[in-house]
Amino acid sequence: MATLRRQYVVTRQVYSEDSFAEGHQKVSRVRKTILDHVKEYLSCDSKRAKNAALSLLPIIGWMRSYRLKEWLLGDVVSGISTGLVAIMQGLAFSLLASLPPSYGLYTAFFPVLTYFFLGTSRHISVGSFPVLSLMVGAVVTRLVPENSPPANITDFEGLTPDQQRVLVASSVTFLMGVFQLGLGLLQVGFVVVYLSDTLVSGFTTAAAVHILVSQLKFVLGLEVPGISGPLSIIYTLEKIFVQITSTNICDLLMSIIIMAVVFIVKELNDKYKSRLPVPVPIEVIMTVIACGVSYGFNFEKRFNVDIVGKMVRGYESPIAPSVEIMKEGAVEAFPIAIVGFAVAFSVAKVYSIKHDYTIDGNQELIAFGVSNIFGASFRCFAASTALSRTAIQESSGGKTQVAGLISAMMAMIVTLALGFLLEPLPRSVLGALVIVNLKGMLMQFREILYLGRRDVPDCVVWVGTCVGSILLGLDLGLAVGLGIELLTVVFRTQFPRCCVLANIPDTDLYRDRKDYQHIFEPEGIKIFRIPSPIFFANIEFFRKKLIDAVGFNPLRVLRKRNKALRKLRKLWKEGNHHMTEKGVTSESDDDPDTNTEELDRPSDITGLPFHVDWNADLPTNIGVPRVDVHSLVLDFSAVSFLDISALKGLKMAIKEFIRIHVDVYVTSCDLNILEKLHNCFFFDDEIVTSMFFPTVHDAVLHVLQKHKNKNRGVSFNQTKM
């Protein structure tokens, strides 16, 4: 690629912030108060009411522009293809939630209906998601264990174990929806930004490991009770390996064959997706074949294969959530709500960018909140989206949520009329379908090598989140991941990479002097850059790095100078004027009455009949560190804010340099920070506004002009500006 080498020349005077303000008048802006924002938020007119209606019901917007002839056929084909996959995934993912398979079909139907009206994404396929199903299943297993009595909850009285599990799943889903709806109404959709791609990748990879382990009992045909809580994956593996000799060979063979066939066909679908009008629905094909073979050879009786069994025909009446269960599952419901929204929003954002339309994070929260509340009332479990279903819906021609509505109709048809055909389906087939669909999430383990080579803190977040979620469970693991992520943010801001800048010859550019060979560093000038906000946690780090950059501690130099002046003044008053090249005669080493506070004050040379040049050759028994820096330039171009603690520390650091006659200049300071400095009485007799310059180059040119007579031997090509 050719390097762009165009020139530009700007001629202007050297500005300080004061001289710039004199020549360029700022616009006076009246900032709104909190009360003004509240009044504006609560005000209403016809235009705002219309915008609110369009915001709460996005269907109005995209339905008005729906191109019937161009889009309908694509939506129908996409809806049928997606519906077939949604049915199979609903059956399979219900096992993750420890529920009868028929309730997975409920989740493929009811949440889609409300999202059709309220959602802003036109392409995501709403329904079950394996990670959420597993998280819901952890609560179900905890409150309704398989081989022990259920929790002491009044609402469980008179219910069968399956009904108890359905009540737990629907109640947790209801609370999840309430959390999402509340966050949406409070306009806090931005909360998803705290779940970085790295964290979500590590979390979903850990969830894939949990899902894989949870499905082994179906693939192997073993009876393993569900276990929840920290280290549950270890205990589950222990119980599986204890019974490994009891593996049902028929289940194992069917699972291996189905996983191999589905995997191969999916790879072919990906390879030839540009040539295929729609992906081959291999999951549906294999499910139909497995149902037929299982029914024809009576696998349940002949080989003791566990099958789906009695399917609920039709839709059951709505139920109210259990308050007791919601109290028990509140801790798990909140992370389920956040993860469900984060995954759905991330997928929706990808397709909104691809197809050039906008999505609203707050409205998405409201849409999923209402969908989960509505679905929970009809015995559904947690709904979000799955990347595989969404990819099918988009790639097969889907343009709007009409495709989602048609896929829901497909699930309804199976529930009402065709469910009995799925009764002989072996559960090991569903387990195999779940496992083979984990390929994408399990392949994320490759990110460890990528992150390890390019960004170690991100790699730590990924590994910490993944390991924590695997060992402690998904709810605690998410909290661990968030904690590690916040620690890396603190680490990056508390310990930024500070550097000393130097000039690129014949330009007004300044770069880290360690990164370039041919650079120019003006004699006596240090240019220091801190690339982060300055606040209470890193102000001491900033001061330490500043001392390292200039090569001396200004406070120590000041104290040494004040001690030397005190000795000189005392000897002069005593009439001892015998000063030789070897020192001052009869000089004591230290004054026992030395007061540290007095030594920190500016040097007072009044009363001495001679001038003290601290950089000259002083008498040998007067030890004062040499200071070869006369000007210090602080580049604040990357400093976005200062807090009060940092402001005090910065003020003290600047004064320490000024008191040893090192001029300090602050450049590229944000106007909001300047305003804060004025409001917090940062300026005084020592620190003045004329120290502030708009650019580093302005400050350097000012310093060179000021010290022109002292540095006649210095060559510096002043860049035309």
Side-chain angles (χ1 to χ4, degrees), residues 543-581:
R543 295 181 66 174
K544 178 180 179 299
K545 285 295 181 180
L546 183 57
I547 290 171
D548 293 342
V550 298
F552 58 86
N553 187 329
L555 185 59
R556 181 173 175 270
V557 172
L558 179 62
R559 289 175 178 174
K560 288 282 188 180
R561 288 183 179 182
N562 283 337
K563 281 184 181 180
L565 285 173
R566 178 175 294 184
K567 295 172 186 176
L568 291 172
R569 185 176 287 108
K570 182 178 180 181
L571 291 172
W572 187 265
K573 287 181 180 179
E574 292 175 354
N576 187 352
H577 309 315
H578 301 287
M579 299 185 184
T580 67
E581 293 181 359

Side-chain angles (χ1 to χ4, degrees), residues 120-178:
T120 58
S121 174
R122 302 176 189 176
H123 291 90
I124 65 171
S125 172
V126 177
S128 54
F129 179 58
V131 176
L132 298 191
S133 302
L134 188 67
M135 296 176 78
V136 170
V139 186
V140 172
T141 302
R142 178 167 61 84
L143 297 182
V144 190
E146 292 183 15
N147 296 330
S148 56
N152 187 18
I153 294 175
T154 307
D155 294 325
F156 282 169
E157 294 180 4
L159 300 179
T160 64
D162 279 349
Q163 291 174 332
Q164 292 173 351
R165 293 189 181 96
V166 170
L167 181 60
V168 171
S170 62
S171 298
V172 171
T173 301
F174 185 92
L175 185 57
M176 165 196 175
V178 170

Side-chain angles (χ1 to χ4, degrees), residues 193 261 448:
V193 303
V261 173
I448 296 177

